[in-house]
Amino acid sequence: MDDISLEVTAHSGLGGIAPAEWDACACPETAAGGRPLDPFTTHRFLSALERSGSVGKGAGWQPHHLVVRALGSPVAVMPLYAKSHSQGEYIFDWNWADAFERAGGRYYPKLQSAVPFTPVTGRRFLAKPGWEGPGRAALLHALVQIAADNRLSSAHVTFCTAEEAEAGAAQGVLRRKSQQFHWLNAGYADFDAFLAALASRKRKAIRKERATAAAFGGTIRKLTGAEIEPRHWDAFWAFYQDTGSRKWGRPYLTRAFFDEIHATMRDDVLLVLAERGGRPVAGALNFLGRDTLFGRYWGAVEDHPCLHFECCYYQAIDHAIARGLGRVEAGAQGEHKLARGYLPVETHSLHWIADTSFRAAVARFLDAEAQAVGQEIEVLTDYGPFRRGDRLD
């Protein structure tokens, strides 16, 4: 491969990139069948964001996806966006932007390799098997070169894998550590077996929460694939709007996004619906990976005690145990997840900063932050809900 020249091109959308060519790089593990490790960098998911208008003109997420070709054939790709704000990222750089602009700089636009609105760890330097090294090098070089040529303040790769973060840091890009809470499956036979691994007080608290949730006066259903009907998305849109207006001011995703994933991704979805009096009153949207259940959105049109915990956390654990999945990732932040069996884990990102003085300041901040994150993970794990002999590392 050393004597093969690589060509990198930027694309203003996925419409001109064949799904099979993109996915051969994004999820090569599906070539032999089965699910991708995660569905979020697949052509179908990123295209749903674009076709629905959730990203693109007016959204502050303008696609500039990178494709690396060797002998005319794609060997590596990267989801990439020009950002005019820092919303929907979950690796927060608001303070960086404020400090840079107070000093007279212009922080936006910036480049962001990420899955919009999706704080899920996954590969961002996507390459065909055998092209991981040269593909990653070409993508990183192109990312930095595009930012520098356009005099942008920075380029960011968020929620990348630890391996990608290490490789980027070795090339001089700043590495950042953050944390989330994930549930890990220790081979539990059922939910009671999971509870048996917890301290008595935590076990009793979860049982009480589940009993309180069950008393909301209805039933809870888990739907996937053909079980999901258009009317279910009508209900979930109402839930999502309520949550979005309270958390972000306005929802990130458009209503058309849910129509898109109904058409192309129902088999990648687990929809948990709480129904009362014949109508859905609350729900949680999850996506399915090869070994992971990804909790993404929750909402409700009625307020019932503990129903959020049941739909988002306990139903997800139930499903993971029943299907033999290794973990549940329940989204960004939330120390309240710790008491419910979700443990702190590191997440990673990479940051290239153009201005040398600003880069040095950010580097000092990241060093201190990484130490604090490591200490917090250690403390939170120690205070976790598991009995001492059953703690997961």
Side-chain angles (χ1 to χ4, degrees):
M1 297 180 186
D2 293 338
D3 57 350
I4 298 177
S5 62
L6 299 179
E7 176 193 18
V8 185
T9 54
H11 300 257
S12 60
L14 287 178
I17 305 172
E21 291 187 334
W22 179 275
D23 287 347
C25 301
C27 49
E29 65 275 7
T30 62
R35 297 188 185 279
L37 294 179
D38 74 74
F40 302 113
T41 56
T42 61
H43 195 281
R44 58 187 179 274
F45 184 85
L46 297 174
S47 292
L49 291 172
E50 293 179 14
R51 289 194 299 263
S52 67
S54 300
V55 302
K57 186 177 180 180
W61 291 81
Q62 189 61 44
H64 287 282
H65 307 307
L66 301 182
V67 176
V68 180
R69 288 181 172 83
L71 303 177
S73 176
V75 296
V77 298
M78 170 182 276
L80 183 63
Y81 301 86
K83 291 295 307 296
S84 59
H85 52 63
S86 292
Q87 297 172 3
E89 297 172 10
Y90 304 95
I91 297 294
F92 303 111
D93 63 350
W94 302 100
N95 290 339
W96 301 2
D98 182 64
F100 193 62
E101 295 189 353
R102 283 177 179 270
R106 183 186 179 197
Y107 194 73
Y108 303 107
K110 61 178 183 175
L111 289 181
Q112 190 92 16
S113 177
V115 179
F117 327 121
T118 308
V120 169
T121 292
R123 297 162 297 186
R124 300 292 177 259
F125 300 84
L126 308 167
K128 286 183 176 180
W131 287 95
E132 293 87 352
R136 180 185 297 154
L139 288 167
L140 182 58
H141 177 79
L143 176 67
V144 171
Q145 193 66 50
I146 291 171
D149 288 348
N150 289 277
R151 299 183 178 180
L152 303 182
S153 69
S154 54
H156 311 263
V157 182
T158 45
F159 291 102
C160 60
T161 66
E163 179 186 5
E164 290 173 332
E166 291 171 5
Q171 296 298 313
V173 182
L174 300 180
R175 178 180 183 178
R176 188 175 191 181
K177 293 184 180 180
S178 304
Q179 74 168 34
Q180 288 184 340
F181 293 86
H182 298 173
W183 180 84
L184 306 177
N185 190 349
Y188 303 116
D190 52 29
F191 197 92
D192 284 339
F194 157 62
L195 289 180
L198 304 182
S200 174
R201 183 169 59 89
K202 300 297 185 183
R203 182 165 60 247
K204 290 178 181 177
I206 289 176
R207 283 178 173 153
K208 183 177 180 180
E209 285 185 346
R210 298 203 80 177
T212 299
F216 82 101
T219 59
I220 295 176
R221 302 170 61 199
K222 292 196 286 283
L223 307 173
T224 189
E227 297 170 327
I228 302 174
E229 301 174 9
R231 63 186 178 91
H232 297 134
W233 294 119
D234 291 335
F236 192 80
W237 173 244
F239 307 154
Y240 176 70
Q241 280 187 302
D242 177 72
T243 300
S245 62
R246 285 186 288 105
K247 282 192 172 184
W248 316 303
R250 66 177 182 85
Y252 289 140
L253 300 172
T254 66
R255 176 63 181 86
F257 172 79
F258 298 99
D259 292 332
E260 290 287 343
I261 62 173
H262 180 78
T264 63
M265 298 192 69
R266 275 182 292 173
D267 290 337
D268 299 296
V269 165
L270 176 71
L271 190 59
V272 179
L273 290 179
E275 298 177 340
R276 193 172 75 90
R279 62 185 281 264
V281 299
L285 173 61
N286 305 270
F287 284 86
L288 299 167
R290 179 160 291 211
D291 192 45
T292 306
L293 179 69
F294 300 95
R296 292 304 307 116
Y297 300 106
W298 146 267
V301 293
E302 293 183 2
D303 185 21
H304 296 280
C306 299
L307 194 57
H308 170 244
F309 301 141
E310 177 65 30
C311 290
C312 291
Y313 306 140
Y314 303 140
Q315 289 290 324
I317 291 173
D318 267 336
H319 187 83
I321 292 173
R323 299 300 175 92
L325 301 179
R327 72 172 57 213
V328 177
E329 296 192 19
Q333 305 170 306
E335 291 186 5
H336 62 280
K337 297 168 186 169
L338 186 68
R340 293 159 183 94
Y342 291 71
L343 295 177
V345 299
E346 283 186 347
T347 59
H348 306 273
S349 57
L350 290 167
H351 307 271
W352 176 84
I353 308 293
D355 183 273
T356 55
S357 297
F358 188 52
R359 185 191 315 150
V362 171
R364 290 192 296 271
F365 167 79
L366 293 181
D367 285 342
E369 184 184 50
Q371 293 183 32
V373 167
Q375 292 169 359
E376 184 174 16
I377 288 177
E378 184 176 348
V379 169
L380 289 174
T381 301
D382 192 51
Y383 279 94
F386 290 90
R387 298 183 306 180
R388 294 221 172 243
D390 293 292
R391 292 185 179 179
L392 301 177
D393 297 321

